[in-house]
Structures are given as structure tokens and as C-alpha cells.
Amino acid sequence: GGANIAIGYEALDRATTNATYNVAIGYQAMHGNIAANDVDFCIAIGGTALEANLTNDASGSIAIGYNAMAKLTSGAGNISIGLRSGQELTSAADNTIIGFEAAKALTNPNNVFIGSKAGHVATSAGGATVVGKGACSSGVMTGDNNTVIGTNAGLALTDGNDNVIIGTSAGDTLTGGEDNVIIGEAADVDHAQRNQCIIIGQGLVCGIASDNVVEIGNSSNSLIADMDNVSGTFAVSSDR
């Protein structure tokens, strides 16, 4: 190939005829057996970044940081910036990963993880948008279509789907619940498997041990309704 830049021991050293317009900087960056594959427009900066056997489907990949996307072979449209970020991706496409060890165990497509250790041990999550230092960092995240924003938000989320969690340390109890909206610093549900609750307010924790609860306010005063109640009666909770 032509128009490539390779700097570093064994950087881009096994591409032969067709790889073009690539930048590989660092020890064994893009070191995989590319051979005659038509791999183009990749950027690999950092030791062992993009070091697997890339195919033409991986063209345009951007990996910056030691071991960033080190196992990628055919996934398209991936960007991974940060030490060990996205290091388990192989064929999954369309992931944007930014942060120290962010989404380092991820294997599925169509995700955004931004923040130091965001989605740290997420594996088969799909359609996730996770932004914040340590957000979704403790649970092995496998659920789909979750939006989590805030430092340490959704900390333990695993197989829950379609949740919206916004706020520092918000929703940290939730693991497998679905269709919840939790907004506010330290706002949370009362149970790890709670479903279809709406909790909005700083420090507010769901005050009814049930699914399908709406509660708005703060840790001292809130308006609460159990939507499973046919009458839909609201109750005001004060200093509880």
C-alpha cells in the first residue's frame, strides 16, 4: 500500500500491498497480519493498539491508547480512545468509547461510553449511551437501550433495558429493572429489579415497594402515586 505512516517497533509491519492512508504509531500498533487486505484510513496510536488481524471491514477505525481495540478484526465505525478502552471488541461496529479502561470488556455494537471506567465491565450491552466517570462501572452490563449520565450513575446496572438514569450516583440500586426514569443526584428506586418507575428529585428514593410508581420531590418532601392503583390517587409525603 501507500501513503501510510508507521512509527515504532513492528508498527504496521505485516501489511503488504493494499493498505493505504493508515497511521500506526507505537510498539506493535496495527501489527496484525493485514497482509493484502484492503485496510484503509485507520489511526492506531499507542502500544498494541489495533494489533489484531484487520480486514477491510475495519477500515476507518480509530484507536488511541495502549491496547485500545487490540482485538478488533472486522468491526466498522469504531472509535476508542483511552488505555485499554474497547480492548475486547472484535467484529462489533459503531461504538464510540472514550476514557481510561472505558468499556474494556465490550463485545456488542452501537454504544457510546464516555468517561474513565464508564461501562468498565459491560459485555453484550447494545444501544447504550453512558457518560460519566465510573458510570455503569460495577455491574456486568448486558441490557439494551439504556441512557445513563452522571458520575457513578447506574453503577450496578446489568441486564436491565430501556432505563434513563441522570445524576451523580443516580440509580445505583438498579440492576435488572426496565423502563425506569430516575433523575437527580442519588435519586433511586427501592429495589434492584424495579420496573416502570419515575423518580425525580435530589436524594429521592422510591417510597412505595412496588413497580409503576411515580414520585417527584426531594428526600424530605415528595408527591407520590402508585400507578397500579386504579384510582391513580396521589399522596404527598413530607419528612419521611
Side-chain angles (χ1 to χ4, degrees):
N4 296 297
I5 297 173
I7 302 173
Y9 178 72
E10 293 185 333
L12 196 61
D13 62 326
R14 293 196 282 174
T16 56
T17 57
N18 294 322
T20 57
Y21 300 105
N22 298 289
V23 176
I25 301 175
Y27 172 81
Q28 291 189 343
M30 290 187 71
H31 170 60
N33 187 24
I34 295 173
N37 289 332
D38 187 10
V39 178
D40 307 317
F41 309 112
C42 291
I43 298 174
I45 301 176
T48 66
L50 278 181
E51 71 163 345
N53 299 333
L54 298 173
T55 66
N56 62 329
D57 288 336
S59 290
S61 298
I62 298 174
I64 300 175
Y66 170 77
N67 220 45
M69 290 201 299
K71 296 183 179 180
L72 189 74
T73 56
S74 60
N78 292 296
I79 298 174
S80 192
I81 300 174
L83 184 145
R84 300 191 187 94
S85 60
Q87 67 179 10
E88 296 297 324
L89 287 174
T90 56
S91 58
D94 300 315
N95 292 289
T96 299
I97 302 168
I98 301 174
F100 169 77
E101 291 191 347
K104 72 171 190 174
L106 186 67
T107 58
N108 264 22
N110 306 319
N111 297 284
V112 175
F113 289 93
I114 299 175
S116 176
K117 292 191 175 181
H120 190 229
V121 289
T123 55
S124 57
T129 299
V130 176
V131 180
K133 177 182 180 293
C136 298
S137 60
S138 295
V140 179
M141 192 175 179
T142 61
D144 295 329
N145 305 319
N146 292 291
T147 299
V148 180
I149 300 173
T151 299
N152 293 328
L155 196 65
L157 194 63
T158 55
D159 59 342
N161 301 304
D162 303 302
N163 296 290
V164 176
I165 302 171
I166 301 174
T168 298
S169 299
D172 283 355
T173 296
L174 197 66
T175 59
E178 300 187 347
D179 304 311
N180 297 287
V181 176
I182 303 170
I183 300 174
E185 179 194 2
D188 213 339
V189 289
D190 65 307
H191 191 279
Q193 300 291 329
R194 196 61 73 207
N195 300 303
Q196 298 179 321
C197 290
I198 300 174
I199 309 297
I200 301 175
Q202 190 273 336
L204 184 62
V205 177
C206 183
I208 298 177
S210 177
D211 294 338
N212 207 20
V213 170
V214 177
E215 187 166 7
I216 300 172
N218 56 45
S219 58
S220 299
N221 299 282
S222 65
L223 185 67
I224 188 168
D226 183 353
M227 304 307 290
D228 287 330
N229 183 333
V230 175
S231 65
T233 302
F234 282 82
V236 176
S237 173
S238 178
D239 298 321
R240 61 175 178 80

